[in-house]
Amino acid sequence: MNIFINKIKQYQFMFSELVKRDFNKRYKRSVLGILWSMIAPLFQLIVMSFVFDRVFGDTMEHYTIYMFAGQLMFNYFREATDNGMQSITSNAGIITKVNAPKYLFLISKIMAASINFLLTLVIFFIFVIAYRVTITWKFIFIIFPIICLFVLIVGTGLILSAMFVFFKDVQYLYDIFTLALMYFTAIFYDVKIFEGSIVAKLIYLNPVFVYINYLREIVLHNNIPSLTYHLYCIFYALLILRIGMWMYKKYNYMFLYYI
C-alpha cells in the first residue's frame, strides 16, 4: 500500500487532474450535475422502502436506516469497481504516451466514486438525525469499515482492470456477479432470519456484508464489534489487495500489447 501512496505523491498533479476529469465527466451536460449523486440514492431508497418496509419494517427498528446503510456501502463498492474495470483500456491513449504507473488510472476512478460516496454519506447522517438515532462517540469507528472497503475496492479493481484488458466479457460476467452479490449482502433483509443455517455462514463470507454489518452495529446498536471481527475485516481487505497487486505485477508488461 505504501508503494501506491508514494507513486501518487510522485505523480500528484497528474493524479489530481485524472480525478477531476473522472468526476466531472460523470455529470457532463447534466442539468442537476453533482446533485444527482445525492438524489439518485434517495430515489432508490424511497422505492426500496416502499417495497420492503411492508415486509421487514414491522419486525425491525429504524428499518430505513438499516437499509440505507446497506445500500450506501454496496453502491459504493459496485460503482467504484465497475468504473475501475475499464480504467486501463479507457486511458489507452495516455498510457501509451506517458510513462506512469497504470494503477494510477484505476485509483483515480475509485477516488471519483469515493467523492460520490462521501456526498451520499452526508445524506445518510441527515437521515440518522431525522430518525432520532442516538449519535455517540462510537460513531468515530465508522471510518474503519470505510477504509477497509476502500482497500477491498482497490484490490478488486486491480483484478478486474487487469482481466478486462484480456477478456472484455468480464464486464458482462461482473454485472451478473454484482446482481447475485446484492442479494447475498442482506441490504433489505435481516440476516438473522437465516440464523443457524448454512446460508448465514455463506453471507458472512461476503466481505461487503461484513463491512455493512460493522456500520450497522455502530449506528443502530451503538456497539463496537470485537477484536476478532476487526481482524476479519482487515484480512478480507488485505487478501484481495494482495491478489490484485500480484496480478498487476505479473501481467503489467503485457497491457500495452492488448490496449
Side-chain angles (χ1 to χ4, degrees), residues 21-34:
R21 183 203 65 180
D22 292 333
F23 182 75
N24 293 330
K25 186 177 180 180
R26 175 174 179 172
Y27 302 108
K28 189 176 181 180
R29 298 190 182 92
S30 171
V31 176
L32 293 178
I34 197 173

Side-chain angles (χ1 to χ4, degrees), residues 191-210:
V191 72
K192 290 181 181 178
I193 64 177
F194 301 112
E195 195 169 10
S197 68
I198 188 67
V199 176
K201 295 178 181 179
L202 289 175
I203 290 176
Y204 273 96
L205 290 176
N206 175 2
V208 182
F209 169 75
V210 171

